[in-house]
Amino acid sequence: MHKNFQSLILTSMEEKWDIIITNRSKLFDIDFRELWRYRDLVLMYVKRDFITFYKQTILGPIWYFIQPIFTTIMFMFVFGGIAGISTDGVPQAVFYMGGLVCWNYFSDCFSRSNNVFSSNKGIFGKVYFPRLVVPIAGVISNLIKLGIQFSLFLAVYIYFICQGVHFNFNATVLLVPLLIVMMAALGLGTGMLISSLTIKYRDLNFLVSFGLSLLMYATPVIYPLSILKASHPQYLWVLLINPLTAILETFKYAFTGVGMFSWLYLLYSFVITTVLFIWGLLVFNRVQRNFMDVI
Amino acid sequence: MSNTVIDIDNVGKQYMLGTFGTGTLSHDLNRWWARMRGKEDPFLKIGDTNDRTKKGDSDFVWALRDISFKVEQGDVVGIIGKNGAGKSTLLKILSRVTSPTLGTIKIKGRLASLLEVGTGFHPEMTGRENIFMNGSIMGMTKQEIKRKFDEIVDFAGVAKYVDTPVKRYSSGMMVRLGFAVAAHLEPEILVVDEVLAVGDAEFQKKAVGKMQDVAQSEGRTVLFVSHNMAAVRSLCTRGVVLKNGMVDFMGSVPDSLAHYLKNDDETRKDLIINNVKSTKYSLKVSNIEINGTKEANSTIRNGQEFIDVLIEGTTSEPLTYDVMLIFKTKDGMPLATYALGHYEGELVHCPKGDFTIQRKIALPKILTKGIICVDLFLHHPMVEYQLKAPNCCVLECEGFQKGFGSAMDQSNNGFMGLEDFK
Ligand SMILES: Nc1ncnc2c1ncn2[C@@H]1O[C@H](COP(=O)(O)OP(=O)(O)OP(=O)(O)O)[C@@H](O)[C@H]1O
Ligand SMILES: [Mg+2]
């Protein structure tokens, strides 16, 4: 009784503090309200990405077009021409560019979040703001880049339609926004997850850039899943556990009608993406508190 | 409700020393394993206190340990300490750039910080863009920044360069701009680490003035780290002395400075005789006492009338010498000299063998409170030095006070007080 009374007094006298700094890290203490308060800064970061991208370049935004155009031409030459890999009857330009646009978005989101600490250590070492602002801004500025490249894809697509090529364009296209969100979440999640390791152990960086380029070949970017199914069915599982596979196949299916689209498989991909995203978020949140000590 | 705006409770920060490699990996695995079993972090118990001069055998070090103090609203707290004492670490934890290993800090209000040289600017962006960016990083809205923009540029004095990327700025200009942004944010708490050092004298004065304004007329709180004692003295209302990661002293600014300065010369040994830098080949000194002690630290009491000097030793040649003492402030400014040989031209001759030199130096009646450093010499003026012991001991003066009076401070009022002629 007496004790209760005392604690009552204590709580009523408790003062209101704006910031409490401790080392006790609860697992789920991401402050989303604070993040929302910093939305101006997210926009500022997006703007900064573009400003610093343009600075001291002559062609400026044109670079956003040059990269996919040339890579597509290269793919058409190497994989379509020399290696003779089939594209399931879809014009090569459309097939490769569609795959590339998606892959680029994922890998940009990934590297952006993976490099958050190393490329921002200057500013992170000087001032506090929610560190999540940076990878989120990265996803948004990459979204703009995706928009530009996607319109390039559409232009090529429409060009082929005008040329009389018939595509099995279908309602799956309504899933495209979801696919984009999934790619962003996957890139962000895995990037943040791996960033927590690469800060301290730099050799992982080599592994990561190497792994990323390998991952592209384990994702149906430059070949359709059906080819692999036909020629090397024993390796199909590698692609099937890769959550990106469903995203890319669905994307291609939506525009061309060929490809492997299955709700079940998309659901699998969605679950894996969500898990990786939340896991990445939690790990990032824990790591960002002390990373300045080890970088 | 009290006016405490910062409450630091038992804060500790452990760092790992050395480079990161396989060793780190094993520590990490250890730690992870302990956590998996629900045990406490095994490395929290070990680790040395942080004395950078001594080689420890642990891979861990406590850059801060058991730090507890409170800061009231409107306080201007000067944090002083030697290199590596943990000042910047404390400010980093306060600004949430890194988190404490132990303990809790509670803060009321918005906190803006300016840590170390080089601010959170992006080199490719112009000054204007960086002002907006930095402002919003510190939590200002765009409107607020717009309102303050001209004032900031004006204060920083970089009007000509606002549309140039900051990578083209000089380091002083960066600091000017960084300080200007931080100071104009109107934060409830302003945290400034040793940054003004890069600015020129004019800017330092301006910055100190601005901080004074911020504290006095706006009732905000300032935490200020500096090695510039004059700036600390003129700006701060409270002092905290850190030493090897722990609070060594806390109190008024003059007391803190005195405490810090008394102990800051790490080259000085504990005994006066060990501070002798050179002696003539023929001379062997066995004992030196100043102010009645062999220790290099002693106190001049209130009302003390003289200082004893005793030097004992042997000489293998006849000696012609004079005893000279120079009294200085901690900053090396001479205050007074005892050198009868100089003034009066009379030297002492002593045959070879053992000798004992004794002097009783009269002190002025009114001494102020503060630190006096002593240089001791035996010399034959204009001919040779037989013994050199610069900075061999420190006298802490209590200051003269009588009746209802109170001692005056050396740093503001000089070495001694004057009296009416009788
Ligand atoms: N990331 C780190 N890893 C390991 N040790 C560190 C790290 N950061 C700081 N330290 C150590 O912590 C101690 C305190 O450093 P801190 O920068 O706080 O000193 P300081 O009081 O600001 O010194 P100065 O007057 O030189 O600025 C130092 O011994 C330093 O070597
Ligand atoms: Mg420092």
Side-chain angles (χ1 to χ4, degrees):
Chain A
M1 175 63 211
H2 179 66
K3 206 165 174 198
N4 260 343
F5 182 63
Q6 220 169 25
S7 74
L8 199 74
I9 290 186
L10 274 181
T11 42
S12 70
M13 286 193 338
E14 210 151 85
E15 297 178 48
K16 173 143 177 34
W17 300 96
D18 296 312
I19 306 168
I20 297 187
I21 307 169
T22 51
N23 194 32
R24 258 180 303 123
S25 52
K26 278 175 269 141
L27 199 51
F28 291 91
D29 62 352
I30 304 171
D31 195 344
F32 289 105
R33 247 183 319 159
E34 184 187 36
L35 206 56
W36 177 245
R37 261 192 288 124
Y38 275 88
R39 58 190 183 277
D40 262 0
L41 186 60
V42 174
L43 295 183
M44 212 80 87
Y45 253 99
V46 173
K47 211 172 114 197
R48 187 192 95 167
D49 283 342
F50 282 89
I51 290 171
T52 48
F53 184 77
Y54 284 134
K55 285 268 160 89
Q56 295 204 356
T57 63
I58 299 163
L59 296 180
I62 295 175
W63 284 109
Y64 285 141
F65 293 106
I66 293 177
Q67 190 264 349
I69 289 177
F70 277 81
T71 318
T72 302
I73 292 173
M74 219 50 211
F75 280 4
M76 287 166 71
F77 184 68
V78 177
F79 298 110
I82 300 177
I85 300 173
S86 140
T87 52
D88 262 359
V90 177
Q92 285 179 353
V94 173
F95 186 88
Y96 291 137
M97 196 165 278
L100 257 180
V101 166
C102 292
W103 174 259
N104 278 349
Y105 184 55
F106 165 77
S107 77
D108 287 345
C109 287
F110 173 84
S111 351
R112 213 10 226 272
S113 348
N114 184 28
N115 294 334
V116 163
F117 292 114
S118 53
S119 52
N120 289 282
K121 59 182 173 223
I123 205 155
F124 282 5
K126 302 286 187 281
V127 268
Y128 171 82
F129 57 93
R131 305 317 192 200
L132 260 178
V133 161
V134 182
I136 288 175
V139 165
I140 295 175
S141 45
N142 284 329
L143 196 63
I144 297 170
K145 184 174 158 195
L146 172 76
I148 295 171
Q149 298 192 344
F150 187 71
S151 61
L152 182 68
F153 167 76
L154 281 185
V156 173
Y157 186 70
I158 289 165
Y159 168 82
F160 276 98
I161 291 179
C162 297
Q163 294 290 306
V165 179
H166 175 70
F167 291 107
N168 258 331
F169 184 77
N170 54 62
T172 327
V173 99
L174 295 175
L175 285 177
V176 168
L178 175 72
L179 298 181
I180 292 173
V181 171
M182 279 168 72
M183 283 188 288
L186 201 57
L188 199 62
T190 47
M192 291 192 299
L193 207 53
I194 290 176
S195 74
S196 72
L197 300 172
T198 44
I199 325 173
K200 215 163 175 183
Y201 303 107
R202 303 251 169 90
D203 32 3
L204 280 172
N205 269 326
F206 306 120
L207 193 67
V208 165
S209 58
F210 173 62
L212 193 64
S213 57
L214 284 191
L215 182 66
M216 191 178 100
Y217 293 100
T219 307
V221 177
I222 44 176
Y223 54 86
L225 195 60
S226 58
I227 295 253
L228 190 91
K229 212 168 170 178
S231 63
H232 295 88
Q234 70 272 34
Y235 296 130
L236 194 63
W237 62 271
V238 177
L239 270 85
L240 289 183
I241 57 169
N242 176 358
L244 277 170
T245 303
I247 299 176
L248 262 100
E249 284 292 308
T250 308
F251 182 85
K252 283 177 182 168
Y253 178 80
F255 285 95
T256 65
V258 290
M260 200 191 81
F261 169 68
S262 115
W263 284 106
L264 184 68
Y265 196 42
L266 196 63
L267 181 70
Y268 160 80
S269 171
F270 186 80
V271 170
I272 295 286
T273 301
T274 314
V275 169
L276 284 174
F277 177 68
I278 293 175
W279 189 15
L281 206 61
L282 297 180
V283 167
F284 182 88
N285 195 48
R286 194 164 50 79
V287 164
Q288 51 105 2
R289 305 158 57 86
N290 277 317
F291 89 99
M292 268 319 289
D293 304 346
V294 294
I295 203 152
Chain B
M1 201 149 128
S2 79
N3 267 337
T4 307
V5 287
I6 304 178
D7 182 357
I8 302 177
D9 184 23
N10 248 320
V11 166
K13 175 78 184 172
Q14 191 185 47
Y15 278 126
M16 206 162 115
L17 295 179
T19 50
F20 292 106
T22 40
T24 335
L25 191 59
S26 82
H27 285 321
D28 276 0
L29 292 177
N30 252 325
R31 202 170 257 162
W32 175 80
W33 177 233
R35 209 170 44 222
M36 282 293 121
R37 288 176 303 163
K39 291 243 170 75
E40 198 186 332
D41 187 337
F43 298 112
L44 275 189
K45 293 209 187 64
I46 60 172
D48 301 332
T49 49
N50 191 12
D51 187 345
R52 86 190 120 77
T53 51
K54 298 208 179 64
K55 194 160 168 41
D57 39 8
S58 173
D59 283 347
F60 295 90
V61 78
W62 288 94
L64 286 179
R65 192 159 215 179
D66 305 331
I67 306 280
S68 295
F69 62 91
K70 288 187 172 139
V71 179
E72 307 286 317
Q73 188 188 349
D75 275 355
V76 183
V77 183
I79 301 176
I80 50 185
K82 293 186 220 168
N83 291 134
K87 306 177 296 294
S88 303
T89 307
L90 182 61
L91 296 200
K92 271 187 197 148
I93 293 174
L94 276 171
S95 350
R96 289 190 285 171
V97 162
T98 181
S99 72
T101 314
L102 296 172
T104 315
I105 298 179
K106 293 184 223 143
I107 296 174
K108 241 182 262 167
R110 190 160 67 173
L111 182 146
S113 56
L114 201 58
L115 302 178
E116 296 172 9
V117 186
T119 36
F121 288 146
H122 193 285
E124 293 287 346
M125 300 203 301
T126 65
R128 181 189 303 276
E129 288 157 353
N130 266 311
I131 290 176
F132 277 93
M133 182 102 185
N134 238 32
S136 59
I137 282 175
M138 296 195 191
M140 280 218 280
T141 65
K142 225 169 170 169
Q143 287 311 314
E144 278 178 280
I145 307 169
K146 253 188 203 140
R147 225 170 344 100
K148 293 264 166 191
F149 186 82
D150 290 333
E151 220 177 305
I152 293 175
V153 173
D154 190 47
F155 186 88
V158 293
K160 195 176 194 148
Y161 281 85
V162 271
D163 290 312
T164 305
V166 295
K167 64 178 173 183
R168 311 236 185 279
Y169 283 29
S170 75
S171 45
M173 282 161 71
M174 290 251 218
V175 168
R176 279 168 170 256
L177 195 58
F179 180 84
V181 177
H184 285 85
L185 286 173
E186 303 190 345
E188 276 79 35
I189 302 166
L190 180 62
V191 170
V192 182
D193 200 346
E194 187 69 41
V195 291
L196 305 178
V198 200
D200 51 27
E202 175 231 325
F203 182 71
Q204 290 195 17
K205 215 164 126 199
K206 203 165 158 186
V208 167
K210 177 72 194 175
M211 285 191 273
Q212 242 152 7
D213 276 2
V214 164
Q216 278 159 14
S217 51
E218 301 168 27
R220 294 168 201 279
T221 311
V222 179
L223 266 70
F224 179 58
V225 165
S226 180
H227 292 288
N228 180 345
M229 296 302 143
V232 172
R233 188 170 279 134
S234 68
L235 177 64
C236 300
T237 56
R238 282 183 57 200
V240 174
V241 183
L242 292 186
K243 186 178 177 188
N244 297 342
M246 288 184 270
V247 175
D248 196 30
F249 186 88
M250 214 171 347
S252 74
V253 173
D255 289 351
S256 305
L257 287 174
H259 180 90
Y260 170 62
L261 292 175
K262 191 174 81 182
N263 295 312
D264 85 327
D265 191 348
E266 49 203 70
T267 58
R268 187 184 310 107
K269 306 281 195 315
D270 292 342
L271 293 181
I272 299 171
I273 191 154
N274 294 333
N275 292 315
V276 173
K277 288 274 147 10
S278 66
T279 47
K280 197 182 161 188
Y281 63 92
S282 56
L283 207 63
K284 257 204 166 66
V285 179
S286 57
N287 184 29
I288 301 180
E289 291 180 20
I290 295 177
N291 200 20
T293 170
K294 298 175 202 268
E295 310 265 335
N297 260 315
S298 58
T299 309
I300 299 178
R301 305 259 164 233
N302 178 13
Q304 185 173 330
E305 290 177 320
F306 59 86
I307 294 180
D308 282 319
V309 178
L310 172 75
I311 306 172
E312 292 172 319
T314 49
T315 173
S316 56
E317 283 174 11
L319 199 63
T320 303
Y321 70 90
D322 177 47
V323 182
M324 175 163 82
L325 277 83
I326 301 174
F327 297 87
K328 295 178 172 171
T329 66
K330 196 58 219 194
D331 315 330
M333 168 105 76
L335 296 170
T337 313
Y338 170 80
L340 294 180
H342 261 287
Y343 325 134
E344 300 174 356
E346 270 177 37
L347 301 177
V348 184
H349 302 282
C350 116
K352 74 181 182 182
D354 292 351
F355 65 88
T356 302
I357 300 167
Q358 252 178 322
R359 296 294 153 101
K360 219 176 193 138
I361 303 172
L363 287 174
K365 181 176 169 206
I366 304 174
L367 278 176
T368 50
K369 193 165 98 175
I371 300 291
I372 299 172
C373 294
V374 180
D375 295 352
L376 172 70
F377 301 101
L378 286 184
H379 70 155
H380 185 170
M382 318 302 216
V383 178
E384 62 173 358
Y385 279 94
Q386 290 116 357
L387 177 143
K388 278 192 194 176
N391 224 341
C392 66
C393 82
V394 173
L395 304 171
E396 188 182 7
C397 225
E398 282 185 346
F400 177 82
Q401 90 185 64
K402 200 173 128 187
F404 292 111
S406 67
M408 291 181 99
D409 196 63
Q410 186 192 67
S411 53
N412 297 325
N413 306 294
F415 171 55
M416 54 181 270
L418 300 176
E419 287 179 283
D420 288 331
F421 179 72
K422 277 173 200 143

